[in-house]
Amino acid sequence: MIWETLIEAAKNKAGEYIIDFAAKKKNWELITKFFTKKDKKRKIIISGSSGVGKSQFVQSLQPQLPQIAIQKRTMGTIEKEANVQGQGIIFLDTAGQSNLKIQIDEFQKTTTDDDYVGIINIVSYGYHYTSTLDIEKDIFEEDKVKNSFLEANKERELEDIRRWLPFLEYSKVKWIITLVNKADIWWKEKVDVHQYYESGEYGQTFENHFQKNYFKKEHLILPYTAIIEPFYNRPNAGLLGDTAKNNLQTYFTSELTRLIEQEKKNK
Ligand SMILES: Nc1nc2c(ncn2[C@@H]2O[C@H](COP(=O)(O)OP(=O)(O)O)[C@@H](O)[C@H]2O)c(=O)[nH]1
Ligand SMILES: [Mg+2]
């Protein structure tokens, strides 16, 4: 129970009532809950090409952020609400063919609207799911994923960030997380994967942009697995177990919590 919340609560009739009620119930959490609802919600944009695991990622937050609940569909975006240390958070997921355009619209809003605190850009080192290719011909060579397929998808990831990084020039968001999803698939190549996103072509693209930039943002690169699942049902995946998956998810949540608390303090 935080003192500020209690003092804030005592300021008005509704607050007094809640304090009374919480005291009767001996449940002080009720006060925090009541006031968090009234507090301004912070927005986080989930970006990334289709098939990298955006929706699955939002799904995976469920056990990590127990209060994640309300889901709302608007034009092109799916909003999911959660509570991180008493702060209401809205995750904005996008779906469909034109999701890059929708994401860019959201990025543009971050220059004028200070509800937006961060961006989680999801990538998957080329292991994108796609429905337009022939699995046998275009994706696999025997049981090995074709290099040409992975390279083409990584190129798509780069094209996407090149398209939207300029829109972040005057953005009010404080941080960007590059979430390298599907670690269960690429775990064996983790050294290369980390290098690629940190200082390879992807990392370079990011760094180059922010050098020119007036507003510096914190950029974290975190490994993640939203779900453990073989890539196109091939038997060779599953290189990372449940414990590791949980550890990656817990680590992500602790970093997210840190960023949100930091942002609240600086407000
Ligand atoms: N192996 C594995 N598959 C994943 C992971 N995350 C998502 N997927 C799969 O990738 C496909 C696309 O995921 P989805 O969330 O729909 O991607 P979106 O288009 O970005 O929303 C689905 O079949 C997911 O089950 C992951 O961490 N590991
Ligand atoms: Mg989706």
Side-chain angles (χ1 to χ4, degrees), residues 33-72:
K33 267 192 197 151
F34 178 77
F35 274 90
T36 323
K37 283 226 180 72
K38 299 187 82 184
D39 193 11
K40 230 178 171 193
K41 296 191 178 81
R42 309 289 209 270
K43 290 180 184 166
I44 294 173
I45 302 169
I46 316 284
S47 58
S49 3
S50 100
V52 293
K54 293 183 298 298
S55 302
Q56 203 58 250
F57 160 73
V58 176
Q59 201 67 28
S60 76
L61 295 171
Q62 192 85 45
Q64 299 291 322
L65 308 172
Q67 293 182 48
I68 191 160
I70 310 155
Q71 198 158 349
K72 217 170 71 191

Side-chain angles (χ1 to χ4, degrees), residues 105-140:
D105 284 350
E106 292 296 326
F107 289 140
Q108 275 180 301
K109 287 189 210 163
T110 69
T111 52
T112 51
D113 184 342
D114 57 12
D115 286 356
Y116 291 85
V117 289
I119 291 162
I120 299 175
N121 186 43
I122 304 193
V123 293
S124 61
Y125 202 57
Y127 293 97
H128 298 39
Y129 263 89
T130 148
S131 50
T132 54
L133 293 175
D134 182 326
I135 301 173
E136 300 301 330
K137 237 178 53 219
D138 305 322
I139 304 180
F140 283 94

Side-chain angles (χ1 to χ4, degrees), residues 149-167:
F149 171 77
L150 297 175
E151 288 306 317
N153 285 331
K154 276 160 40 185
E155 196 47 50
R156 253 173 74 203
E157 287 179 355
L158 282 173
E159 275 166 23
D160 284 0
I161 64 167
R162 284 194 199 108
R163 280 279 305 278
W164 58 250
L165 275 169
F167 290 98

Side-chain angles (χ1 to χ4, degrees), residues 13-29:
K13 270 270 171 277
E16 273 175 29
Y17 175 79
I18 282 293
I19 292 174
D20 231 39
F21 186 70
K24 272 192 200 125
K25 294 269 174 201
K26 291 195 170 50
N27 183 356
W28 297 106
E29 281 294 294

Side-chain angles (χ1 to χ4, degrees), residues 50-56 129 181-182 184-185 225-227 229:
S50 100
V52 293
K54 293 183 298 298
S55 302
Q56 203 58 250
Y129 263 89
N181 192 31
K182 308 202 186 186
D184 56 318
I185 299 175
T225 309
I227 185 174
E229 173 183 286

